[in-house]
Amino acid sequence: MASKGKVRGVSGQYPLVQNVTVTEGGTANMTCRVEYNDNTSLQWSNPAQQTLFFGDKKALRDNRIELVRASWAELTISISDVTLSDEGFYTCSLFTMPVRTAKAYLTVLGVPEKPEINGLTNPAMEGDYITLTCITQGSKPAADLRWFRNEKEVKGAKEVNASGKTFTVWSSLQLHVDRNDDGVAYTCRVDHVALAQAPQQATEVLEVHYAPRVEIIKSNTVPQEGQYLKLECVSRGNPSPDPVLWTKDGGELPDLDRIIVEGRELTFTSLNKTDNGTYRCEASNHLGKNSAEYVLYVYDVPTTLPPSTTPPQHPIPPDPTVQLGTHASDPTVTGSRDPNALGQHGTDHALIGGVVAVVVFVTLCLIIVLGRYLARHKGTYLTNEAKGADDAPDADTAIINAEGNHAHAEEKKEYFI
């Protein structure tokens, strides 16, 4: 890689050159031009003021330096396999009276070495603190180091140390290890101008050992008699906790053909009430053990099926002998229901309420009539026969006595308004 920056001189008998930037190991082309030259020779010399070429004549025995083009107006040379020691000011001289010169600076980029990651201990234990260190050498200017956790960038602590013309760069990353770091790839990448096309990087995959965690997954939410049920013991740990141990109510599982244990799964082919109990799954590795429990209660099979929520595909036609109103107003005919219509229970309640109201009304009317009747017939009354009955020995005598007393009837009259 090489780039140029133009260094201007005065037009005419002055040389024109350009600054050049090249990656270490690359090739640098140094060009010197003159706009108006009267057959005067051009010369290139290195930072040590050693002549490289005078016109088309090579002056320094260095196989890396070659002539590209030589004329009265231009002198171009190439330097291959450039090293950091080649960096500096190169001088183009035009041999006029006096000699006129122009200087071009050759910048050599130091390519950083492939990074290395240190400090990784595999396997790491959950809860450990570890420090990953990434180092790269030989960069010029100093390289930049970046950390990635899988594809996500994380921040590290950077340190730069100069070593001659190049730099050594460190970057550290501190981790508090947990089970989520197991299998995670930590990558250290070198960013540098000399690596624009292909960045250097190193990757390490972290292995973490941790104690297991257990949970039980059931295949049926409401187990009923006669149904199939599978309990799966999901255990996560490193190393893998295999096999797992199933128990019931703190003891061994009953030896029944209906209960099958396959690996992590406990299967009931046909449930009954004797299967009720607490089932426990336990998993362990060298770092510890963990367990989970499931309380099984087998429900009775429902005696009646719940009403179907799916409407019938073909509505049943109504009985014409009991149909009231027109066909258009009957929801069984139109295929739809009025959401505001009363149901069967609403009709019964209305009928009962009407009967009660009639009974109450009739009762009130009877009470009023009876009260008025009693008020109009208040007092004590005797018939003519009763008036002489007290002293009469027989009915005939009582009638005679009553007629005799009729003259005094005016004294016992009552008047009603």
Side-chain angles (χ1 to χ4, degrees):
M1 179 187 72
S3 62
K4 297 182 178 181
K6 188 173 181 180
V7 179
R8 296 183 178 180
V10 180
S11 61
Q13 293 290 94
Y14 279 90
L16 299 174
V17 297
Q18 291 178 322
N19 294 329
V20 177
T21 299
V22 63
T23 301
E24 185 179 13
T27 299
N29 288 331
M30 310 295 296
T31 299
C32 179
R33 291 187 178 89
V34 179
E35 293 183 1
Y36 306 102
N37 189 359
D38 53 358
N39 297 332
T40 303
S41 299
L42 292 171
Q43 172 187 293
W44 271 112
S45 56
N46 63 17
Q49 295 304 314
Q50 296 173 319
T51 301
L52 303 179
F53 271 89
F54 184 80
D56 58 355
K57 302 296 190 292
K58 187 175 183 178
L60 184 66
R61 293 182 179 180
D62 189 337
N63 295 331
R64 300 179 302 122
I65 303 175
E66 299 289 340
L67 178 64
V68 177
R69 184 179 297 106
S71 67
W72 297 112
E74 178 183 341
L75 179 60
T76 300
I77 63 174
S78 68
I79 306 173
S80 61
D81 196 16
V82 174
T83 65
L84 293 175
S85 61
D86 294 324
E87 186 175 75
F89 283 105
Y90 286 74
T91 304
C92 177
S93 302
L94 177 63
F95 284 90
T96 59
M97 292 300 292
V99 177
R100 295 174 179 177
T101 61
K103 293 182 180 293
Y105 194 85
L106 175 63
T107 301
V108 181
L109 301 176
V111 180
E113 297 177 359
K114 183 177 176 65
E116 296 180 0
I117 297 177
N118 300 316
L120 184 65
T121 56
N122 271 336
M125 302 299 170
E126 185 176 29
D128 287 352
Y129 288 89
I130 64 174
T131 300
L132 302 181
T133 302
C134 180
I135 182 173
T136 182
Q137 299 176 339
S139 61
K140 178 182 174 295
D144 186 27
L145 295 180
R146 300 168 65 189
W147 284 100
F148 293 86
R149 184 183 188 273
N150 289 336
E151 300 299 326
K152 183 178 180 180
E153 185 171 1
V154 292
K155 188 175 179 59
K158 179 181 175 182
E159 182 181 348
V160 179
N161 185 22
S163 177
K165 290 186 176 182
T166 62
F167 296 89
T168 300
V169 183
W170 289 272
S171 181
S172 59
L173 182 65
Q174 293 187 345
L175 302 175
H176 184 200
V177 179
D178 63 20
R179 63 187 59 211
N180 295 325
D181 288 314
D182 186 38
V184 171
Y186 284 91
T187 300
C188 175
R189 191 173 78 186
V190 180
D191 285 347
H192 192 265
V193 64
L195 302 173
Q197 302 300 324
Q200 297 272 26
Q201 65 183 33
T203 301
E204 294 287 350
V205 178
L206 185 58
E207 180 184 359
V208 181
H209 282 189
Y210 52 93
R213 288 182 183 172
V214 179
E215 65 173 327
I216 297 176
I217 299 177
K218 56 185 179 296
S219 63
N220 198 341
T221 304
V222 183
Q224 298 176 358
E225 280 192 291
Q227 285 186 341
Y228 168 91
L229 175 66
K230 181 176 72 174
L231 302 179
E232 182 181 1
C233 181
V234 179
S235 59
R236 299 177 178 88
N238 192 14
S240 178
D242 196 27
V244 298
L245 177 63
W246 284 99
T247 59
K248 177 186 178 183
D249 297 329
E252 295 183 356
L253 293 175
D255 188 13
L256 300 175
D257 294 337
R258 296 181 300 99
I259 302 178
I260 302 173
V261 177
E262 293 181 348
R264 301 173 183 271
E265 296 179 354
L266 175 62
T267 303
F268 299 84
T269 58
S270 180
L271 290 170
N272 62 40
K273 292 290 187 178
T274 62
D275 297 325
N276 291 344
T278 300
Y279 292 83
R280 179 186 180 94
C281 170
E282 182 176 294
S284 63
N285 58 20
H286 70 279
L287 295 175
K289 63 182 180 179
N290 189 248
S291 63
E293 293 183 345
Y294 172 73
V295 178
L296 173 62
Y297 182 82
V298 181
Y299 291 86
D300 294 327
V301 179
T303 56
T304 58
L305 295 177
S308 175
T309 58
T310 304
Q313 296 181 353
H314 302 287
I316 300 173
D319 187 354
T321 60
V322 296
Q323 181 176 343
L324 299 177
T326 64
H327 290 286
S329 63
D330 192 343
T332 61
V333 176
T334 61
S336 62
R337 293 182 178 271
D338 184 2
N340 296 320
L342 291 174
Q344 184 64 33
H345 295 291
T347 304
D348 294 343
H349 294 164
L351 180 61
I352 294 173
V355 172
V356 171
V358 171
V359 171
V360 172
F361 177 78
V362 171
T363 303
L364 291 175
C365 292
L366 291 176
I367 292 174
I368 294 172
V369 171
L370 181 60
R372 292 180 59 85
Y373 177 79
L374 293 177
R376 294 180 61 88
H377 296 79
K378 182 176 66 176
T380 301
Y381 304 94
L382 297 175
T383 62
N384 291 330
E385 292 82 1
K387 292 176 183 179
D390 292 339
D391 299 326
D394 53 32
D396 295 334
T397 305
I399 293 172
I400 295 173
N401 292 340
E403 292 176 354
N405 294 332
H406 184 69
H408 304 283
E410 295 296 330
E411 298 176 3
K412 296 182 180 181
K413 284 183 180 181
E414 290 187 1
Y415 297 90
F416 296 93
I417 298 174

